[in-house]
Amino acid sequence: MYKQTTMQSFNPAGMTRRHFLNHLAAGSVTTLGAMQFLGQLRTHAAEVQKNRKACILVWLGGGAPTIDMWDLKPESKNGGEFKPISTAGDLQISEHLPKIAQQMGSLSVVRSMSTREADHDRGTYYMHTSYVPNATVVHPTFGSVVSYELGKSRPDLEIPAFISIGGGSMSPGFLGMTNAPFVVDSQGRIQNAEMAGMDQQRLGQRLQILGAIEEGFIQSNRGDVGQAHRDVYQKAVNLMKSDQMEAFRVNREGPEVRTAYGDTPFGNSLIMARRLVETGVPFVEVRNPNGWDLHQNVFTTLRQTNLPMLDNGISGLVADLKDRGMFDDTVVVCMGEFGRTPRINANVGRDHWAASWSVLIGGGGLRGGIAVGETDNDGLTITSETYLPGDLWATVAHALRIPLSTVHTSTRGRPMKIANGGNPIKSLLT
Amino acid sequence: MMEWRRIGLGIAAVVLGACAPGFAADEPAPLADRAAAEIVAAIDEHIRTGWTDNEIEASPTADDGEWLRRVYLDLVGHIPPVEVTTAFMEDKAEDKRDRMVDTLLDDPHYVRNMTTVWANTLLGRVTPERTSRAGMEKFLRENFARRRPWNEIVYDMLTAEGKYEENGAVNFLLGQLQGNPNREDYTVEATARASRLLLGMQVQCTQCHDHPFNTWKQAQFWEFDSFFKQIVRNDVDKYDAQSGRMVDDYSELNFRDYSGPVFYETRAAEMKVSYPAYFGRELEINSSTNRRLEFANLICRDDPSKQLARSMVNRTWGQFFGFGFTKPVDDMGPHNAPSHPELLEKLTDEFIAANYDVRRLCGWICKSEAYGLTSRFNDRNTVDDPANGEVPLFSHMSVKSLTAEQLYDSLLIATGAHQAGQASYEEAQAQRQMWLAEFLRIFGGADDQEPTVFAGSIPQALMLMNGELVNKAVSADSGSYLNSVLNDSRLRSDNQRVQQLYLSALGRLPGRKEVTQLGAFVKSHPNKLQAFQDLYWALLNSNEFVVNH
């Protein structure tokens, strides 16, 4: 009655797959058989080695009024105070983003995002994960997906594969804490990474005793947990001692570099992002420190604070990436959790709006200089094909050479397509 | 005096309890105890049958140190204070383990621990927007302290109305109601979570389609959902003069009129209609029906299928053993047969007969033979490895990672903070909250993490290696714990001091090899204080410290 063999036959869904995954110790590419998967690994080993692709996500928390930035409506009563200007690309953007305008030959705007979630939490979750919140499962933010997919093919990387500067990213969900965003502040300070007044020798001594105590537990025949703990500590120690920690030190850059990014905390965060990508980090999320939830005084705030800082930062980043020959390997995405209402409210503000809004994207070999999709004259509805966050992240995955056939398995054994099965935005592919 | 009024006795009560005499041998055990003993014997018999049928041999009983540390972590949420460990090891009475279980079940920290466990389960680790964790915890704390029957606690949560701090029971449903109340999926999360957490049924897949592995139909999800159609959250703001803005004031859960059926779409884009029903028992509805009251009544007070009790038994078993009778614990049903069906039914019936008393359920589990086994595998039970997907046979204890709360509270115990007693209750709570927020940020917010999987991360390791909390724990300042050990005149040699540190951190004495290695280290070290600091740092950072085994 209690025989394990009979029990297993009751449960075709969970056991065998989990068992298989444990042995594979990776658990990612479940669309392919194990042999096929290993064969592919060998064939593409050389190619994987060369993959230095990365993504920098610039997050505009609160939801940016993209109608005043990337998709202006000067003819409409919804148009507001700003005028469009011509750019180096085949589209117009806001007059308050003149430096980005000069870089628009390399960047594009998707003007037909339609994302249905107009609540901050739900929208933030949706835009980060491509999935709407669901009681069954916590989906990984896309940075964790990239960390999981590309981190393992970069053995020389001693710092985490997903860095979040300024915080505010989302959970790694079922991909686990090893793929969680590694959070630093805009000065690149890592919490607890420095030992107060402790010299290397003493640390070495402590680790030696720790090693002896841990060994006893590992040998005590209690399963894998003891060794898993030791592995994580080893990584933490490697991190503390790593030369790659230099990537967090923006003050190693000359003053002219900082000036080129606007010499603001946001600009410094973007410099750090570039340094991290140079070091091999495949995903960096930078939180723009301005508030974008502009229910009131939208134009004053944008003109005086938000747009100048963004203009300097993004244009500085793109120019710098180009100068260093990194732009074609680095996707830059700039967005928040939704757009804002075309209608201007009584407080000269704009409210939450997810039905028709824009995202800035470029680099990584994607086509620049174009507007993808369009909205009507009042910005209220989309008159072209519409796009979901999954389509956006599928585009990024394509640019990073992560196969779109990739399927991850949730902790409850449910298969999940990468980017929620979204399709890359065709006109951005070259 | 009611038990829940005994605030502030805390650990002191435990220490006294551990030394208090038990029932004398010639005195007959009270009736409740005899019944408990019979139930425990039944558990043991069912579990043993599983071992025999699978031709495995159970691991030996855990020694006192391993068992005591485990039962402390599981029942009161922290490791045992060193003086309790010492007294327990010296106690020669045969019934000392059963007495310890009873003592811990009477400890106010048992109530605190159950409150933490259930607040995390019901709300998740990250509190949903405009939901009161404090309100939820207060409701749970009062109910667990009063030993209120579980079915009545659930009844309250399913039927509650009112403001989120005045009636804390509303927060369970309130936390699931986000977004636009006029959308058809407004109550979908409430339906899914209530079914999964309270009934152990994953109906959420059937929101969109018939269940792939069992007989549940899509209609059933929407029948459940129909019961929740009469609720709406109301968020009230107030003007804040300082910032000149409107800020959150409070939120409440209100009744709203809803008398129609629920419409849903199948994958074939066919529109269907459903009416409130619970496992085929349809509800007569008219415009004056309060659907939640009817639903709660069906689940909590009038359910021949006993699913609420069965689910609680399964979840509680999993809480103590790391694995329930089904995996996961909240996915029960015909598609996922339990490992020990007869035992599950037995415990379900006894739990109902005990008037849904969670405290007694915990007691039976902790007094069982299987709970008392060591976590070491032996040569004859290596196949009993549920972490690798096998059906659990409970022939050895499994190793669980400490939760953030257990880790924080254990660090306090390991450094004698419970004895210092200078900080007021409020100060201590405020500091705990601050640290826990930090811990949770670093440990991550996933609330469906399996307890037996080690989910450590680099930031977590860095925090324990270099963070303020552990730095303080290994401080050698006057008045610090290490200082008190070094100056304790009862400890006559470095070996005894090493032993004391092992007892404090790991609840056991060092093995012979450890004594040799660490004794040599201390002896050869030019600065004895530093040597003990480094040793204690290593103990608190060790794999053995951060798990419950």
Side-chain angles (χ1 to χ4, degrees):
Chain A
M1 160 189 66
Y2 291 119
K3 291 273 188 195
Q4 283 178 337
T5 44
T6 38
M7 296 308 311
Q8 283 198 345
S9 67
F10 275 109
N11 204 343
M15 302 296 188
T16 50
R17 177 168 47 222
R18 183 178 288 272
H19 205 85
F20 167 68
L21 289 181
N22 279 338
H23 286 299
L24 199 63
S28 72
V29 190
T30 51
T31 44
L32 302 171
M35 288 316 292
Q36 205 183 344
F37 169 67
L38 293 174
Q40 287 220 343
L41 260 191
R42 272 192 294 275
T43 339
H44 295 304
E47 196 181 313
V48 170
Q49 279 297 319
K50 275 186 295 185
N51 182 350
R52 301 300 285 173
K53 301 283 181 186
C55 176
I56 297 174
L57 168 64
V58 178
W59 188 256
L60 309 179
T66 56
I67 191 172
D68 299 314
M69 298 159 69
W70 316 118
D71 187 15
L72 281 76
K73 300 293 172 187
E75 311 294 321
S76 166
K77 63 180 186 326
N78 293 339
E81 298 178 8
F82 299 167
K83 302 277 174 292
I85 56 169
S86 293
T87 70
D90 192 16
L91 74 166
Q92 294 193 315
I93 63 170
S94 170
E95 58 181 326
H96 296 291
L97 297 166
K99 293 180 181 168
I100 293 180
Q102 291 172 27
Q103 301 289 352
M104 280 312 288
S106 327
L107 300 169
S108 292
V109 172
V110 181
R111 284 182 173 158
S112 53
M113 296 302 295
S114 181
T115 57
R116 92 172 208 157
E117 296 296 344
D119 169 89
H120 288 297
D121 279 356
R122 294 179 65 88
T124 304
Y125 186 97
Y126 191 33
M127 293 311 297
H128 274 90
T129 65
S130 312
Y131 288 85
V132 293
N134 173 308
T136 344
V137 56
V138 181
H139 302 92
T141 182
F142 203 75
S144 297
V145 172
V146 173
S147 158
Y148 183 84
E149 288 298 325
L150 299 187
K152 62 194 169 199
S153 62
R154 299 188 184 182
D156 297 338
L157 190 63
E158 288 163 0
I159 56 180
F162 174 17
I163 311 283
S164 159
I165 304 171
S169 190
M170 303 296 284
S171 159
F174 54 76
L175 292 181
M177 288 304 285
T178 46
N179 296 293
F182 190 78
V183 181
V184 300
D185 67 11
S186 65
Q187 271 105 57
R189 282 181 301 221
I190 298 166
Q191 230 173 351
N192 302 317
E194 278 147 45
M195 311 195 66
M198 173 119 354
D199 56 47
Q200 288 281 333
Q201 197 199 339
R202 182 127 186 240
L203 173 63
Q205 208 157 52
R206 286 187 169 186
L207 291 172
Q208 217 178 339
I209 311 174
L210 179 64
I213 295 170
E214 296 222 309
E215 186 61 21
F217 193 72
I218 290 169
Q219 297 302 332
S220 71
N221 207 2
R222 287 181 162 102
D224 305 332
V225 172
Q227 184 62 44
H229 183 268
R230 173 184 276 184
D231 293 345
V232 170
Y233 265 62
Q234 192 55 54
K235 279 191 202 162
V237 170
N238 291 347
L239 177 83
M240 284 161 62
K241 293 177 173 172
S242 171
D243 293 338
Q244 293 177 359
M245 295 286 274
E246 280 292 299
F248 293 103
R249 308 217 163 90
V250 174
N251 57 12
R252 297 287 194 273
E253 302 278 343
E256 69 288 352
V257 176
R258 272 180 281 168
T259 310
Y261 281 74
D263 206 5
T264 59
F266 175 59
N268 290 344
S269 300
L270 291 175
I271 296 175
M272 198 191 311
R274 188 262 292 156
R275 290 175 66 88
L276 289 164
V277 170
E278 259 178 329
T279 308
V281 174
F283 199 99
V284 183
E285 178 165 347
V286 177
R287 188 183 174 86
N288 178 288
N290 292 127
W292 295 86
D293 194 16
L294 298 167
H295 290 284
Q296 46 217 344
N297 301 328
V298 56
F299 304 110
T300 320
T301 312
L302 286 180
R303 187 169 44 228
Q304 291 179 352
T305 332
N306 291 21
L307 294 188
M309 198 188 279
L310 191 74
D311 193 37
N312 283 319
I314 300 271
S315 63
L317 174 68
V318 172
D320 198 10
L321 288 172
K322 282 185 190 167
D323 284 351
R324 291 164 189 269
M326 297 164 65
F327 188 68
D328 286 343
D329 284 326
T330 310
V331 186
V332 177
V333 179
C334 176
M335 66 178 179
E337 58 265 42
F338 38 64
R340 306 200 74 85
T341 43
R343 200 183 71 83
I344 299 161
N345 70 23
N347 299 319
V348 202
R350 297 187 191 269
D351 303 318
H352 304 179
W353 185 256
S356 53
W357 60 288
S358 307
V359 168
L360 179 75
I361 184 169
L366 297 174
R367 176 172 294 151
I370 59 170
V372 180
E374 60 183 348
T375 50
D376 68 12
N377 288 337
D378 294 319
L380 285 165
T381 53
I382 293 171
T383 55
S384 65
E385 195 176 347
T386 64
Y387 295 106
L388 300 173
D391 301 324
L392 197 68
W393 288 120
T395 310
V396 174
H398 174 90
L400 301 182
R401 306 221 179 111
I402 299 172
L404 292 168
S405 56
T406 305
V407 174
H408 301 115
T409 306
S410 81
T411 37
R412 292 174 194 278
R414 187 170 166 182
M416 303 271 180
K417 290 180 187 168
I418 193 168
N420 197 6
N423 297 309
I425 300 171
K426 282 205 185 69
S427 40
L428 288 175
L429 309 183
T430 48
Chain B
M1 185 166 62
M2 305 265 298
E3 282 164 12
W4 59 276
R5 292 208 180 121
R6 292 191 307 179
I7 308 165
L9 294 182
I11 309 275
V14 177
V15 178
L16 292 175
C19 309
F23 297 106
D26 53 354
E27 212 176 304
L31 191 62
D33 276 18
R34 268 211 309 273
E38 280 161 22
I39 293 165
V40 172
I43 295 176
D44 294 348
E45 196 192 318
H46 282 288
I47 294 292
R48 278 177 167 270
T49 307
W51 300 339
T52 312
D53 287 355
N54 286 278
E55 294 166 358
I56 62 167
E57 218 166 82
S59 295
T61 302
D63 62 31
D64 281 345
E66 182 179 3
W67 182 86
L68 185 71
R69 190 174 190 270
R70 175 190 308 161
V71 77
Y72 252 82
L73 282 164
D74 283 336
L75 283 179
V76 294
H78 56 74
I79 58 171
V82 62
E83 56 276 15
V84 177
T85 306
T86 311
F88 188 73
M89 286 174 166
E90 284 165 5
D91 188 347
K92 296 285 177 263
E94 270 195 21
D95 64 344
K96 67 176 178 178
R97 292 196 180 187
D98 284 359
R99 276 191 290 114
M100 180 56 77
V101 170
D102 293 337
T103 304
L104 293 177
L105 287 170
D106 282 337
D107 191 287
H109 280 200
Y110 159 76
V111 170
R112 185 175 82 153
N113 183 46
M114 288 300 282
T115 301
T116 303
V117 168
W118 273 97
N120 285 341
T121 304
L122 294 167
L123 296 183
R125 287 202 172 265
V126 180
T127 312
E129 264 197 42
R130 303 201 71 155
T131 304
S132 169
R133 190 171 212 92
M136 184 87 258
E137 287 181 348
K138 181 165 177 282
F139 167 78
L140 291 168
R141 193 163 53 241
E142 287 174 0
N143 279 280
F144 282 125
R146 285 164 54 203
R147 294 176 69 171
R148 201 133 171 278
W150 178 246
N151 59 331
E152 295 302 318
I153 297 177
V154 172
Y155 186 90
D156 281 2
M157 290 194 291
L158 290 177
T159 58
E161 279 178 35
K163 294 184 184 176
Y164 68 2
E165 269 160 9
E166 286 167 21
N167 182 4
V170 298
N171 288 289
F172 171 54
L173 289 178
L174 205 54
Q176 320 312 324
L177 298 177
Q178 310 284 344
N180 182 346
N182 296 319
R183 260 165 54 165
E184 75 280 5
D185 62 357
Y186 182 59
T187 53
V188 156
E189 293 232 13
T191 306
R193 263 185 110 90
S195 318
R196 178 163 74 81
L197 299 179
L198 304 175
L199 295 173
M201 296 191 347
Q202 306 231 5
V203 293
Q204 65 273 3
C205 302
T206 58
Q207 178 190 341
C208 312
H209 52 82
D210 291 349
H211 200 288
F213 315 131
N214 66 30
T215 53
W216 293 341
K217 299 296 179 209
Q218 190 183 0
Q220 188 177 356
F221 181 89
W222 296 103
E223 286 166 2
F224 274 29
D225 188 57
S226 306
F227 285 107
F228 290 107
K229 282 295 171 192
Q230 290 170 326
I231 50 176
V232 65
R233 69 151 52 234
N234 179 34
D235 298 325
V236 180
D237 294 341
K238 65 182 174 193
Y239 181 74
D240 177 50
Q242 209 164 19
S243 65
R245 291 180 175 213
M246 298 300 286
V247 296
D248 294 0
D249 189 3
Y250 63 89
S251 295
E252 60 188 357
L253 189 70
N254 292 337
F255 177 87
R256 68 166 161 182
D257 253 350
Y258 188 97
S259 52
V262 167
F263 296 95
Y264 63 95
E265 196 180 337
T266 67
R267 281 209 161 165
E270 200 182 334
M271 286 307 289
K272 293 211 169 179
V273 59
S274 76
Y275 298 90
Y278 179 65
F279 290 124
R281 298 174 74 191
E282 281 183 32
L283 190 65
E284 291 286 325
I285 48 167
N286 55 50
S287 55
S288 64
T289 310
N290 184 326
R291 297 186 182 188
R292 276 199 300 155
L293 286 182
E294 300 294 337
F295 190 45
N297 202 46
L298 284 174
I299 290 175
C300 303
R301 295 173 179 170
D302 182 25
D303 180 11
S305 82
K306 303 181 266 194
Q307 187 53 28
L308 178 69
R310 186 179 298 107
S311 163
M312 185 61 176
V313 165
N314 195 33
R315 190 173 268 285
T316 308
W317 186 275
Q319 183 184 334
F320 288 93
F321 281 97
F323 296 94
F325 299 115
T326 64
K327 189 178 175 185
V329 288
D330 51 17
D331 187 10
M332 305 176 80
H335 61 295
N336 193 10
S339 59
H340 298 73
E342 292 175 4
L343 175 54
L344 176 59
E345 289 316 299
K346 166 81 178 163
L347 283 174
T348 301
D349 290 337
E350 294 294 350
F351 182 49
I352 294 171
N355 199 18
Y356 290 85
D357 184 350
V358 180
R359 188 176 164 286
R360 282 168 74 181
L361 175 62
C362 294
W364 304 332
I365 292 173
C366 290
K367 289 174 183 175
S368 70
E369 177 186 18
Y371 183 79
L373 301 177
T374 176
S375 53
R376 294 171 193 250
F377 286 83
N378 66 20
D379 294 342
R380 298 287 315 278
N381 67 1
T382 46
V383 296
D384 181 16
D385 189 5
N388 260 323
E390 306 291 349
V391 173
L393 297 169
F394 308 107
S395 67
H396 57 87
M397 182 46 76
S398 58
V399 178
K400 309 190 281 275
S401 285
L402 296 194
T403 63
E405 293 88 353
Q406 287 175 327
L407 187 51
Y408 176 78
D409 290 331
S410 296
L411 278 169
L412 290 192
I413 297 286
T415 52
H418 63 289
Q419 287 180 323
Q422 303 102 329
S424 72
Y425 176 79
E426 285 77 18
E427 275 174 65
Q429 277 304 101
Q431 182 141 50
R432 182 172 190 263
Q433 283 312 317
M434 198 189 78
W435 274 104
L436 279 182
E438 183 67 10
F439 262 59
L440 290 180
R441 194 181 66 68
I442 285 177
F443 280 48
D447 41 294
D448 63 347
Q449 179 66 49
E450 290 178 39
T452 50
V453 175
F454 179 70
S457 66
I458 294 175
Q460 188 180 324
L462 289 175
M463 183 186 199
L464 291 174
M465 290 170 82
N466 307 330
E468 194 191 332
L469 202 60
V470 172
N471 269 336
K472 230 163 109 182
V474 301
S475 152
D477 298 345
S478 64
S480 71
Y481 176 69
L482 269 183
N483 221 301
S484 76
V485 170
L486 295 179
N487 292 323
D488 188 336
S489 58
R490 288 169 301 177
L491 303 172
R492 293 172 190 282
S493 67
D494 283 345
N495 270 354
Q496 288 191 349
R497 290 179 195 107
V498 170
Q499 284 184 0
Q500 185 77 0
L501 295 186
Y502 260 81
L503 283 172
S504 299
L506 304 181
R508 67 171 175 91
L509 292 167
R512 193 176 302 158
K513 197 173 157 198
E514 288 168 316
V515 172
T516 316
Q517 266 181 330
L518 299 169
F521 167 75
V522 170
K523 200 168 176 185
S524 68
H525 205 290
N527 182 334
K528 206 143 275 184
L529 188 62
Q530 275 198 8
F532 279 109
Q533 272 187 313
D534 293 352
L535 171 60
Y536 208 42
W537 179 93
L539 287 169
L540 296 179
N541 272 282
S542 68
N543 42 18
E544 191 172 342
F545 184 78
V546 301
V547 298
N548 177 6
H549 62 86

